Amino acid sequence: DTGVSQDPRHKITKRGQNVTFRCDPISEHNRLYWYRQTLGQGPEFLTYFQNEAQLEKSRLLSDRFSAERPKGSFSTLEIQRTEQGDSAMYLCASSPWPVAGIPTDTQYFGPGTRLTVL
Amino acid sequence: AQTVTQSQPEMSVQEAETVTLSCTYDTSESDYYLFWYKQPPSRQMILVIRQEAYKQQNATENRFSVNFQKAAKSFSLKISDSQLGDAAMYFCAYRIKAAGNKLTFGGGTRVLVKP
């Protein structure tokens, strides 16, 4: 099963360190999304790519956060100078190109990367 | 601000019984999609059911069905013949067609299934 994969699954870091997460979407899905989920809450949208273009960014995505999708396939999310408030589950999702008559807006989620900032 | 509210933090249901999860949302848009996602413990989120706002007919997927009341901005999920594998967090979400592709989620409802 070639679902959405994320690496690493868990990351523990010290405050002030930089961390980078990777997401591999479902093959041929041209849309890729990042969400953040804190304990006991629903996911919150961070950013969205269509192919390699970053088309939307949430205000939650401070200047310490940067996301890339250089070749329109996998994506990375980097957090610089981590803070304890960055501790959360970071979820990646992908969806296919819209095709007339077929509901392709469904987003398929990966298992997430759980970040703990000490 | 556009929001999704799930007023039940936790619901308990006996195996084989029926449980209904509530969801209300707030948007001034008329064209949008609604979703219920399931997140089992330590596992990834999966889509349970989707509803297009312009369709009046309520969506159904096997044991899962919704009651979509557009005027009331309500989108409840009914789980019939509950099974142990239904135990999970359930999130209601919507996507506004004219506002990109982001999903806006509610806070979730934990469903416990008693054998």
Side-chain angles (χ1 to χ4, degrees):
Chain A
D1 181 11
T2 54
V4 178
S5 62
Q6 293 187 245
D7 182 69
R9 296 290 304 276
H10 303 274
K11 178 71 176 179
I12 300 174
T13 190
K14 293 182 179 179
R15 188 178 54 184
Q17 297 294 306
N18 299 344
V19 294
T20 301
F21 310 140
R22 176 179 170 126
C23 170
D24 287 87
I26 293 172
S27 179
E28 297 180 354
H29 278 195
N30 70 320
R31 295 179 170 183
L32 187 146
Y33 314 81
W34 285 99
Y35 293 85
R36 182 173 69 187
Q37 185 179 23
T38 53
L39 203 60
Q41 301 296 317
E44 296 173 294
F45 172 79
L46 291 178
T47 190
Y48 150 64
F49 290 85
Q50 183 164 296
N51 298 315
E52 64 275 9
Q54 188 173 19
L55 297 187
E56 190 172 353
K57 292 170 62 174
S58 163
R59 285 172 292 179
L60 291 174
L61 213 65
S62 74
D63 55 5
R64 296 185 299 106
F65 288 71
S66 63
E68 294 183 343
R69 195 183 182 198
K71 297 183 179 179
S73 56
F74 73 91
S75 175
T76 58
L77 178 67
E78 181 183 17
I79 309 175
Q80 296 182 329
R81 305 180 304 281
T82 53
E83 302 173 356
Q84 289 184 325
D86 297 331
S87 295
M89 177 77 85
Y90 289 84
L91 299 171
C92 177
S94 69
S95 65
W97 187 265
V99 176
I102 299 176
T104 55
D105 58 320
T106 297
Q107 295 183 20
Y108 298 83
F109 283 82
T113 294
R114 182 169 296 283
L115 173 66
T116 301
V117 181
L118 302 175
Chain B
Q2 298 178 125
T3 60
V4 179
T5 302
Q6 294 180 246
S7 59
Q8 306 148 317
E10 186 175 285
M11 294 288 283
S12 183
V13 61
Q14 203 72 33
E15 197 174 4
E17 298 294 309
T18 296
V19 64
T20 300
L21 311 184
S22 66
C23 172
T24 57
Y25 56 93
D26 183 18
T27 179
S28 57
E29 299 289 333
S30 61
D31 198 2
Y32 49 88
Y33 300 99
L34 294 160
F35 305 85
W36 278 98
Y37 276 88
K38 170 186 177 181
Q39 188 176 40
S42 301
R43 296 183 61 186
Q44 60 208 75
M45 198 170 312
I46 58 174
L47 179 68
V48 174
I49 198 165
R50 67 187 290 278
Q51 172 86 39
E52 297 173 49
Y54 68 86
K55 291 186 176 179
Q56 293 187 342
Q57 185 174 5
N58 289 322
T60 62
E61 284 289 339
N62 301 313
R63 299 182 294 105
F64 298 87
S65 61
V66 298
N67 183 4
F68 174 44
Q69 302 289 328
K70 191 171 185 178
K73 297 180 182 177
S74 171
F75 183 60
S76 62
L77 174 70
K78 184 170 78 172
I79 307 174
S80 303
D81 185 25
S82 296
Q83 300 175 1
L84 295 177
D86 295 334
M89 285 291 292
Y90 286 80
F91 293 97
C92 177
Y94 69 64
R95 177 175 84 82
I96 307 296
K97 284 187 79 173
N101 291 276
K102 68 179 182 184
L103 292 172
T104 300
F105 285 88
T109 296
R110 182 177 303 281
V111 171
L112 304 174
V113 181
K114 297 180 179 178

